[in-house]
Amino acid sequence: MKQPALFIPHGGGPCFFMDPSDPDRPHSDPMWHRMQAYLTDLITTLPERPRAILLISGHWEENHFTLHAGERPGLLFDYHGFPPHCYTLRWDAPGAPTLARRAARLLEQAGFPAAMEEERGWDHGVFIPMKVALPDADIPVAQLSLRSDLDPEAHIVAGRALAPLRDEGVLIIGSGMSFHNLRVRGLQALAPSRLWDDALTQAVTDPDPASRARRVAAWAKLPNAHFAHPREEHLLPLMVALGAGGGDAATRDHGSTVLGWAVSGYRFG
């Protein structure tokens, strides 16, 4: 059965696992609870359990699109300043090397050079949200990098190239944050982030797929765009998910406020 493509918020650092007394059970400041609940229910909202997941994180950039093809990836603790237990978290899902190779072939057929590697661990854009969504770590995962030029149109086209995977039972997830400006928090962020979030949502959910792609590729022209994303690496996973969504309906299926930021998640199909 065909899977949707998703853009999910992955939170901030190990935000869902801050309780040292029980680090395997999601606990957090109440402001994260709505996002946590969304991720907890994520798999149950799908048409069926995916056979594998292809995940694009805002925390991995390479000169060319690169697939992680390891059998048993470790974890890359690429956050800083958190309690010691946050650096001993476990999430032991199997890798998906066959899926990684299939995704690489699809990208190459679309004209993109695609690299493979097996050494890099999963960054927190992978293991933090997936540890909430899949605590049993029982679905294979392949990770895809961003391309370091952060070209929105190229990432949308790459998503289109990967769209056939959805018909093969693969769930495509872009993992980032729809708002990501670490310099502003609290009340100073709230009104401008809402203005940005409303404009982004209108573009993402445009019922005309061609217009949707044009508007989201031109994200920098939306109100408060560079306030929301001084650097856009956390937004680019959305481009891949949107491209993979093709002509399917787009909906906003998550909304919450964290750190004073209005944050959204989107579903295609």
Side-chain angles (χ1 to χ4, degrees), residues 116-132:
M116 306 284 284
E117 69 85 41
E118 299 182 6
E119 301 302 321
R120 186 182 188 274
W122 283 326
D123 59 65
H124 75 274
V126 181
F127 75 85
I128 290 298
M130 290 295 96
K131 188 172 169 63
V132 180

PDB file of all heavy atoms in Angstrom, residues 116-132:
ATOM      1  N   MET A 116      27.525   6.720  -1.495  1.00  0.00           N
ATOM      2  CA  MET A 116      27.142   5.790  -0.437  1.00  0.00           C
ATOM      3  C   MET A 116      28.217   5.811   0.639  1.00  0.00           C
ATOM      4  O   MET A 116      29.395   6.009   0.350  1.00  0.00           O
ATOM      5  CB  MET A 116      27.022   4.372  -0.999  1.00  0.00           C
ATOM      6  CG  MET A 116      26.112   4.225  -2.197  1.00  0.00           C
ATOM      7  SD  MET A 116      24.367   4.259  -1.780  1.00  0.00           S
ATOM      8  CE  MET A 116      24.200   2.615  -1.096  1.00  0.00           C
ATOM      9  N   GLU A 117      27.816   5.624   1.881  1.00  0.00           N
ATOM     10  CA  GLU A 117      28.792   5.480   2.967  1.00  0.00           C
ATOM     11  C   GLU A 117      28.183   4.605   4.056  1.00  0.00           C
ATOM     12  O   GLU A 117      26.971   4.417   4.117  1.00  0.00           O
ATOM     13  CB  GLU A 117      29.227   6.853   3.488  1.00  0.00           C
ATOM     14  CG  GLU A 117      28.174   7.642   4.247  1.00  0.00           C
ATOM     15  CD  GLU A 117      28.136   7.257   5.703  1.00  0.00           C
ATOM     16  OE1 GLU A 117      29.192   7.068   6.309  1.00  0.00           O
ATOM     17  OE2 GLU A 117      27.021   7.129   6.254  1.00  0.00           O
ATOM     18  N   GLU A 118      29.050   4.054   4.933  1.00  0.00           N
ATOM     19  CA  GLU A 118      28.578   3.114   5.954  1.00  0.00           C
ATOM     20  C   GLU A 118      29.077   3.440   7.354  1.00  0.00           C
ATOM     21  O   GLU A 118      28.779   2.690   8.281  1.00  0.00           O
ATOM     22  CB  GLU A 118      29.019   1.687   5.585  1.00  0.00           C
ATOM     23  CG  GLU A 118      28.461   1.188   4.269  1.00  0.00           C
ATOM     24  CD  GLU A 118      28.869  -0.244   3.966  1.00  0.00           C
ATOM     25  OE1 GLU A 118      29.501  -0.880   4.837  1.00  0.00           O
ATOM     26  OE2 GLU A 118      28.558  -0.724   2.853  1.00  0.00           O
ATOM     27  N   GLU A 119      29.824   4.530   7.515  1.00  0.00           N
ATOM     28  CA  GLU A 119      30.484   4.785   8.783  1.00  0.00           C
ATOM     29  C   GLU A 119      29.772   5.807   9.665  1.00  0.00           C
ATOM     30  O   GLU A 119      29.852   5.735  10.893  1.00  0.00           O
ATOM     31  CB  GLU A 119      31.922   5.269   8.527  1.00  0.00           C
ATOM     32  CG  GLU A 119      32.772   4.272   7.754  1.00  0.00           C
ATOM     33  CD  GLU A 119      32.872   2.939   8.454  1.00  0.00           C
ATOM     34  OE1 GLU A 119      32.985   2.930   9.694  1.00  0.00           O
ATOM     35  OE2 GLU A 119      32.832   1.898   7.761  1.00  0.00           O
ATOM     36  N   ARG A 120      29.106   6.757   9.074  1.00  0.00           N
ATOM     37  CA  ARG A 120      28.508   7.835   9.860  1.00  0.00           C
ATOM     38  C   ARG A 120      27.360   7.303  10.707  1.00  0.00           C
ATOM     39  O   ARG A 120      26.519   6.552  10.231  1.00  0.00           O
ATOM     40  CB  ARG A 120      28.000   8.939   8.922  1.00  0.00           C
ATOM     41  CG  ARG A 120      27.487  10.192   9.632  1.00  0.00           C
ATOM     42  CD  ARG A 120      26.968  11.188   8.602  1.00  0.00           C
ATOM     43  NE  ARG A 120      26.638  12.476   9.191  1.00  0.00           N
ATOM     44  CZ  ARG A 120      25.462  12.775   9.739  1.00  0.00           C
ATOM     45  NH1 ARG A 120      24.501  11.848   9.766  1.00  0.00           N
ATOM     46  NH2 ARG A 120      25.237  13.967  10.258  1.00  0.00           N
ATOM     47  N   GLY A 121      27.290   7.714  11.949  1.00  0.00           N
ATOM     48  CA  GLY A 121      26.155   7.330  12.787  1.00  0.00           C
ATOM     49  C   GLY A 121      24.930   8.164  12.469  1.00  0.00           C
ATOM     50  O   GLY A 121      25.003   9.202  11.807  1.00  0.00           O
ATOM     51  N   TRP A 122      23.777   7.691  12.936  1.00  0.00           N
ATOM     52  CA  TRP A 122      22.555   8.474  12.783  1.00  0.00           C
ATOM     53  C   TRP A 122      22.602   9.686  13.698  1.00  0.00           C
ATOM     54  O   TRP A 122      22.831   9.565  14.907  1.00  0.00           O
ATOM     55  CB  TRP A 122      21.337   7.622  13.139  1.00  0.00           C
ATOM     56  CG  TRP A 122      20.947   6.660  12.068  1.00  0.00           C
ATOM     57  CD1 TRP A 122      21.048   6.825  10.719  1.00  0.00           C
ATOM     58  CD2 TRP A 122      20.356   5.376  12.254  1.00  0.00           C
ATOM     59  NE1 TRP A 122      20.561   5.725  10.060  1.00  0.00           N
ATOM     60  CE2 TRP A 122      20.127   4.818  10.983  1.00  0.00           C
ATOM     61  CE3 TRP A 122      19.995   4.638  13.376  1.00  0.00           C
ATOM     62  CZ2 TRP A 122      19.555   3.567  10.800  1.00  0.00           C
ATOM     63  CZ3 TRP A 122      19.426   3.392  13.202  1.00  0.00           C
ATOM     64  CH2 TRP A 122      19.208   2.860  11.928  1.00  0.00           C
ATOM     65  N   ASP A 123      22.381  10.871  13.133  1.00  0.00           N
ATOM     66  CA  ASP A 123      22.371  12.091  13.927  1.00  0.00           C
ATOM     67  C   ASP A 123      21.047  12.224  14.679  1.00  0.00           C
ATOM     68  O   ASP A 123      20.119  11.429  14.498  1.00  0.00           O
ATOM     69  CB  ASP A 123      22.640  13.307  13.036  1.00  0.00           C
ATOM     70  CG  ASP A 123      21.614  13.452  11.917  1.00  0.00           C
ATOM     71  OD1 ASP A 123      20.434  13.687  12.211  1.00  0.00           O
ATOM     72  OD2 ASP A 123      22.003  13.322  10.739  1.00  0.00           O
ATOM     73  N   HIS A 124      20.964  13.265  15.515  1.00  0.00           N
ATOM     74  CA  HIS A 124      19.778  13.355  16.376  1.00  0.00           C
ATOM     75  C   HIS A 124      18.517  13.741  15.607  1.00  0.00           C
ATOM     76  O   HIS A 124      17.413  13.582  16.126  1.00  0.00           O
ATOM     77  CB  HIS A 124      20.015  14.293  17.560  1.00  0.00           C
ATOM     78  CG  HIS A 124      20.010  15.760  17.240  1.00  0.00           C
ATOM     79  ND1 HIS A 124      21.114  16.433  16.802  1.00  0.00           N
ATOM     80  CD2 HIS A 124      19.021  16.688  17.346  1.00  0.00           C
ATOM     81  CE1 HIS A 124      20.818  17.715  16.647  1.00  0.00           C
ATOM     82  NE2 HIS A 124      19.553  17.896  16.961  1.00  0.00           N
ATOM     83  N   GLY A 125      18.670  14.196  14.351  1.00  0.00           N
ATOM     84  CA  GLY A 125      17.494  14.389  13.518  1.00  0.00           C
ATOM     85  C   GLY A 125      16.838  13.084  13.112  1.00  0.00           C
ATOM     86  O   GLY A 125      15.693  13.058  12.674  1.00  0.00           O
ATOM     87  N   VAL A 126      17.581  11.992  13.290  1.00  0.00           N
ATOM     88  CA  VAL A 126      17.045  10.647  13.046  1.00  0.00           C
ATOM     89  C   VAL A 126      16.619  10.008  14.362  1.00  0.00           C
ATOM     90  O   VAL A 126      15.445   9.676  14.569  1.00  0.00           O
ATOM     91  CB  VAL A 126      18.088   9.737  12.352  1.00  0.00           C
ATOM     92  CG1 VAL A 126      17.497   8.353  12.085  1.00  0.00           C
ATOM     93  CG2 VAL A 126      18.588  10.363  11.063  1.00  0.00           C
ATOM     94  N   PHE A 127      17.575   9.816  15.274  1.00  0.00           N
ATOM     95  CA  PHE A 127      17.278   8.920  16.393  1.00  0.00           C
ATOM     96  C   PHE A 127      16.404   9.545  17.466  1.00  0.00           C
ATOM     97  O   PHE A 127      15.692   8.807  18.168  1.00  0.00           O
ATOM     98  CB  PHE A 127      18.560   8.325  16.990  1.00  0.00           C
ATOM     99  CG  PHE A 127      19.412   9.238  17.844  1.00  0.00           C
ATOM    100  CD1 PHE A 127      19.135   9.415  19.196  1.00  0.00           C
ATOM    101  CD2 PHE A 127      20.512   9.878  17.295  1.00  0.00           C
ATOM    102  CE1 PHE A 127      19.938  10.225  19.977  1.00  0.00           C
ATOM    103  CE2 PHE A 127      21.320  10.682  18.079  1.00  0.00           C
ATOM    104  CZ  PHE A 127      21.039  10.869  19.424  1.00  0.00           C
ATOM    105  N   ILE A 128      16.377  10.866  17.598  1.00  0.00           N
ATOM    106  CA  ILE A 128      15.507  11.446  18.625  1.00  0.00           C
ATOM    107  C   ILE A 128      14.037  11.316  18.237  1.00  0.00           C
ATOM    108  O   ILE A 128      13.238  10.747  18.998  1.00  0.00           O
ATOM    109  CB  ILE A 128      15.906  12.894  18.935  1.00  0.00           C
ATOM    110  CG1 ILE A 128      17.250  12.937  19.676  1.00  0.00           C
ATOM    111  CG2 ILE A 128      14.827  13.587  19.765  1.00  0.00           C
ATOM    112  CD1 ILE A 128      17.272  12.236  21.030  1.00  0.00           C
ATOM    113  N   PRO A 129      13.591  11.797  17.060  1.00  0.00           N
ATOM    114  CA  PRO A 129      12.166  11.609  16.744  1.00  0.00           C
ATOM    115  C   PRO A 129      11.788  10.150  16.540  1.00  0.00           C
ATOM    116  O   PRO A 129      10.680   9.731  16.914  1.00  0.00           O
ATOM    117  CB  PRO A 129      11.975  12.422  15.464  1.00  0.00           C
ATOM    118  CG  PRO A 129      13.333  12.498  14.853  1.00  0.00           C
ATOM    119  CD  PRO A 129      14.278  12.576  16.013  1.00  0.00           C
ATOM    120  N   MET A 130      12.698   9.338  15.984  1.00  0.00           N
ATOM    121  CA  MET A 130      12.356   7.947  15.752  1.00  0.00           C
ATOM    122  C   MET A 130      12.333   7.136  17.045  1.00  0.00           C
ATOM    123  O   MET A 130      11.590   6.150  17.152  1.00  0.00           O
ATOM    124  CB  MET A 130      13.334   7.326  14.753  1.00  0.00           C
ATOM    125  CG  MET A 130      13.194   7.849  13.330  1.00  0.00           C
ATOM    126  SD  MET A 130      11.591   7.442  12.552  1.00  0.00           S
ATOM    127  CE  MET A 130      10.661   8.954  12.877  1.00  0.00           C
ATOM    128  N   LYS A 131      13.088   7.538  18.037  1.00  0.00           N
ATOM    129  CA  LYS A 131      13.033   6.859  19.338  1.00  0.00           C
ATOM    130  C   LYS A 131      11.666   7.076  19.999  1.00  0.00           C
ATOM    131  O   LYS A 131      11.184   6.219  20.734  1.00  0.00           O
ATOM    132  CB  LYS A 131      14.156   7.369  20.239  1.00  0.00           C
ATOM    133  CG  LYS A 131      14.344   6.621  21.552  1.00  0.00           C
ATOM    134  CD  LYS A 131      15.608   7.104  22.254  1.00  0.00           C
ATOM    135  CE  LYS A 131      15.709   6.585  23.686  1.00  0.00           C
ATOM    136  NZ  LYS A 131      15.803   5.100  23.752  1.00  0.00           N
ATOM    137  N   VAL A 132      11.038   8.221  19.696  1.00  0.00           N
ATOM    138  CA  VAL A 132       9.667   8.460  20.160  1.00  0.00           C
ATOM    139  C   VAL A 132       8.672   7.676  19.307  1.00  0.00           C
ATOM    140  O   VAL A 132       7.786   6.992  19.817  1.00  0.00           O
ATOM    141  CB  VAL A 132       9.325   9.960  20.130  1.00  0.00           C
ATOM    142  CG1 VAL A 132       7.890  10.190  20.611  1.00  0.00           C
ATOM    143  CG2 VAL A 132      10.293  10.761  20.988  1.00  0.00           C
TER     144      VAL A 132
END
